[in-house]
Amino acid sequence: MCKESAARAAIAAAQEHCTLCPRRCGAARREAAGLCGMGAEPKVARAALHYWEEPCISGRDGSGTVFFSGCTLRCVFCQNQEISTGGFGRTITVERLREVFRELEAAGANNINLVSPTQFAPWIALALEEAPGIPVVWNTGGYERVETLRLLEGKVQIYLPDLKYVSPEWSRRCSGAADYFAWAAPAILEMFRQSGPYVVDKNGMLRRGVVIRHLMLPGGLAETKRVIDWVAAHFAPGEVLFSLMSQYTPAPGVPEELNRRVRQAEYRAACAYMADCGIDEGFTQERRAAQAEYTPPFDLTGV
Ligand code: SF4
């Protein structure tokens, strides 16, 4: 089956009985939304240049971010609840999505950065049949099915997955998905299979590859070490980049144990562990960086 037919077939299947993400909730999205809150057409809350990703993604000119509505996870600390669980956004056609990509490219974006895209994977794959002239970034929480990722092969050059947790206790408590790691680990290996080792151009911009992100949580040093252990065990130097993030900011209503920033001592210990494990290709953050700086207004700009 050609790739376009595969995307169209996957759209038709999702409209009847959706199994695109690990929830496999079986919603008939033609008629009703699934657990991700989304129905039968792409829904987008903002499409604009964004300057707060890793330097090799944002560069000087910005990353062309498209923020999709809905989410397949339920993170208690989500900073984008307005669009992830609140459902804010505008429903658009695949053709309009293609135009949005063209507009971002014309505005000088370094790449097309698809944020929280999983619930619309086949619609996006269809839109990408007309390949942008800049890299496409799949910016995801990491809770993915390998079968769905295969729709993107040859269309996405850069994968930017979170690896949030290893332990089922943490992922159940914080994201409502005890099986998170069981899906995220093979998904990241599939992303690497598709992209190969990372490639940075002479201007320091990432052209292809995988950047694994991990947002450290308060009290989560042991869990962060488990994540680092997995990355060190599965990738050799020069294969992937690792981004250890310290920007956690408590969202209203988070459980008591998550209701503080990550302490400097916790973050320093995580950075030291990362170095001890031989992971020196990637990014760490100034701890003072606040989440609010990274969260743009969701106001339908560019949609
Ligand atoms: S993408 Fe949404 S509708 Fe499809 S299986 Fe996942 S939660 Fe259900």
Side-chain angles (χ1 to χ4, degrees):
M1 192 185 292
C2 76
K3 288 274 170 54
E4 179 160 1
S5 299
R8 288 189 191 281
I11 291 170
Q15 287 177 335
E16 297 303 324
H17 181 88
C18 186
T19 58
L20 285 174
C21 84
R23 301 283 186 199
R24 294 170 292 169
C25 72
R29 291 176 59 174
R30 190 189 298 282
E31 292 159 12
L35 286 178
C36 58
M38 294 295 110
E41 300 287 345
K43 198 171 185 186
V44 175
R46 179 181 174 88
L49 296 176
H50 188 64
Y51 300 90
W52 299 104
E53 308 287 19
E54 286 77 0
C56 64
I57 306 263
S58 288
R60 194 196 54 200
D61 298 324
S63 177
T65 44
V66 182
F67 288 89
F68 289 92
S69 308
C71 190
T72 60
L73 287 171
R74 286 287 175 273
C75 302
V76 294
F77 48 81
C78 180
Q79 299 287 323
N80 295 351
Q81 285 178 9
E82 184 185 355
I83 62 172
S84 62
T85 51
F88 177 79
R90 178 180 290 153
T91 298
I92 61 174
T93 62
V94 167
E95 184 45 45
R96 174 62 193 143
L97 189 57
R98 266 192 202 132
E99 277 174 17
V100 168
F101 297 163
R102 285 195 288 264
E103 287 164 9
L104 288 168
E105 187 172 353
N110 283 308
N111 41 57
I112 302 297
N113 183 351
L114 308 165
V115 184
S116 194
T118 309
Q119 58 277 14
F120 297 117
W123 290 266
I124 294 169
L126 189 57
L128 290 173
E129 284 300 319
E130 185 182 301
I134 50 181
V136 175
V137 183
W138 193 259
N139 186 341
T140 165
Y143 193 51
E144 301 270 8
R145 292 189 68 199
V146 166
E147 292 82 350
T148 300
L149 291 172
R150 292 214 167 117
L151 293 170
L152 307 166
E153 187 157 10
K155 296 174 177 168
V156 166
Q157 288 72 45
I158 297 170
Y159 282 100
L160 190 54
D162 292 333
L163 185 53
K164 296 174 186 287
Y165 329 92
V166 170
S167 311
E169 300 76 38
W170 272 85
S171 59
R172 180 189 49 73
R173 186 161 54 92
C174 296
S175 293
D179 59 355
Y180 172 85
F181 180 73
W183 292 98
I188 290 173
L189 295 176
E190 167 64 15
M191 293 172 192
F192 180 68
R193 185 194 69 76
Q194 289 186 22
S195 76
Y198 70 88
V199 174
V200 176
D201 70 16
K202 62 181 180 355
N203 299 316
M205 299 307 300
L206 192 61
R207 303 303 298 181
R208 62 170 44 250
V210 178
V211 183
I212 301 171
R213 279 176 164 170
H214 175 69
L215 176 67
M216 198 175 178
L217 296 175
L221 179 58
E223 192 62 9
T224 293
K225 287 181 176 178
R226 289 184 198 105
V227 167
I228 292 170
D229 284 343
W230 184 85
V231 173
H234 288 82
F235 297 104
E239 290 192 332
V240 298
L241 294 163
F242 185 71
S243 183
L244 181 61
M245 305 167 84
S246 65
Q247 70 196 51
Y248 174 82
T249 303
V254 292
E256 181 59 30
E257 67 273 19
L258 294 176
N259 197 18
R260 66 168 172 87
R261 301 284 307 277
V262 171
R263 296 194 181 102
Q264 206 160 18
E266 291 174 307
Y267 189 65
R268 283 201 186 130
C271 291
Y273 191 78
M274 186 175 148
D276 286 348
C277 290
I279 301 178
D280 55 7
E281 291 154 293
F283 310 92
T284 53
Q285 276 182 322
E286 287 287 325
R287 204 187 135 273
R288 67 172 176 272
Q291 179 76 52
E293 292 173 41
Y294 302 95
T295 307
F298 298 117
D299 54 6
L300 302 177
T301 295
V303 181

